[in-house]
Amino acid sequence: MPPHSHATADSPGAGPDPHAATDTQRIQEQSDLCSTLEPQDIARLRAIAQPQDYAAGEVVLRQGPKVDAVFLPCSGCLMVERSGAGGQRQVLAFLYAGYFLGFNTSSRFLYSVVALEKSSVLRFPAENFRKLAQELPALRDNIGRINNLVLSRVLDHLFAIGQKRAHARVAFLLWELWSRAAADGQQHLVHLPMRRADIGAYLGLTLETTSRAFSRLRRDGIIATPDNSSVRILDAGALQELADVK
């Protein structure tokens, strides 16, 4: 098998397909990180970015090593997971274009990240990124806003797995994904690159319970599942009510 043209966190290297450069630049410029930056400051940030491509199943970064970069996903879907000393596994997030990785209070990565499908990211070396943040107050402010958004998502996730019944937890995840898909112009279809077991690990459910939750949502006429990797939203109002989001 020929080698992939990508770079891991352990071995930075080749960049992505040059045809994707325009989309990558657009995603960076429209991201929360650049929302209040002047064009010349965005150009400085772009100058330190290292494009990287990953195939489905490839590791973007591993739990444990020293934090050496900030990552901006530009396409595809990444899964963030953490493993305990006893082998326990918890999925912490599913990340799409525009999300961020690497804003840690710890000096080491506390999670691993795996590409669930063909994905591209921009890698910003930590030392260069910190230096730029020191020089650009607007960038520091944007980092603070991103951290607040991350905290908000974490609290929503904790509430979902702590208070909701199984089918309501699945509804919560589907609502999150559907809201993003609708913003991208996909009116009723949600793409699910993750396995049902990954969804269960994210929502604190067993595989069997996750499957039953999907079955109930289908039976109630809220969703349809054309295949294992997609869900069609049939009743957005009922989904939102179950997800308990505003």
Side-chain angles (χ1 to χ4, degrees):
M1 179 181 297
H4 298 292
S5 62
H6 80 284
T8 67
D10 300 322
S11 57
D17 182 349
H19 296 296
T22 302
D23 285 342
T24 298
Q25 180 176 327
R26 175 183 55 80
I27 290 168
Q28 179 185 346
E29 292 176 353
Q30 294 179 354
S31 69
D32 292 329
L33 194 64
C34 296
S35 62
T36 60
L37 297 186
E38 298 294 333
Q40 64 270 22
D41 296 331
I42 295 175
R44 294 180 66 186
L45 193 61
R46 189 184 308 129
I48 67 171
Q50 300 170 347
Q52 300 179 342
D53 282 345
Y54 296 89
E58 288 193 293
V59 175
V60 178
L61 61 89
R62 299 183 187 278
Q63 180 177 328
K66 183 178 178 181
V67 174
D68 62 352
V70 172
F71 297 85
L72 169 65
C74 295
S75 68
C77 180
L78 307 179
M79 179 172 66
V80 184
E81 57 184 355
R82 184 169 180 173
S83 299
Q88 309 95 322
R89 170 177 175 264
Q90 175 69 51
V91 173
L92 303 176
F94 301 110
L95 302 183
Y96 291 83
Y99 286 72
F100 282 92
L101 286 165
F103 293 124
N104 287 357
T105 55
S106 170
S107 63
R108 296 189 177 276
F109 285 116
L110 301 178
Y111 46 77
S112 297
V113 179
V114 178
L116 293 177
E117 58 187 352
K118 182 180 179 181
S119 302
S120 64
V121 305
L122 289 178
R123 178 183 185 274
F124 301 91
E127 184 176 347
N128 295 340
F129 187 83
R130 281 194 293 265
K131 181 180 179 181
L132 203 55
Q134 290 170 358
E135 298 174 1
L136 301 176
L139 180 58
R140 290 200 303 274
D141 291 343
N142 289 347
I143 293 170
R145 279 191 285 272
I146 290 168
N147 285 334
N148 288 337
L149 288 172
V150 170
L151 177 59
S152 177
R153 293 189 187 111
V154 168
L155 293 176
D156 285 344
H157 182 208
L158 289 175
F159 179 78
I161 65 176
Q163 301 294 328
K164 298 179 187 297
R165 294 170 294 172
H167 70 296
R169 297 185 199 184
V170 171
F172 167 78
L173 174 60
L174 293 179
W175 178 264
E176 281 192 324
L177 299 179
W178 177 76
S179 298
R180 180 177 186 84
D184 290 339
Q186 302 174 45
Q187 294 294 323
H188 299 290
L189 195 65
V190 178
H191 175 51
L192 298 179
M194 66 289 292
R195 303 171 302 167
R196 293 291 191 266
D198 297 329
I199 292 175
Y202 176 68
L203 297 173
L205 302 171
T206 64
L207 175 59
E208 294 76 12
T209 302
T210 302
S211 296
R212 286 198 297 270
F214 272 93
S215 295
R216 175 165 178 176
L217 293 175
R218 283 196 301 268
R219 188 171 62 249
D220 290 346
I222 297 174
I223 66 170
T225 50
D227 51 57
N228 285 336
S229 62
S230 62
V231 166
R232 186 170 298 279
I233 307 302
L234 302 179
D235 190 337
L239 186 70
Q240 181 180 18
E241 184 176 355
L242 267 180
D244 191 20
V245 291
K246 305 299 182 184

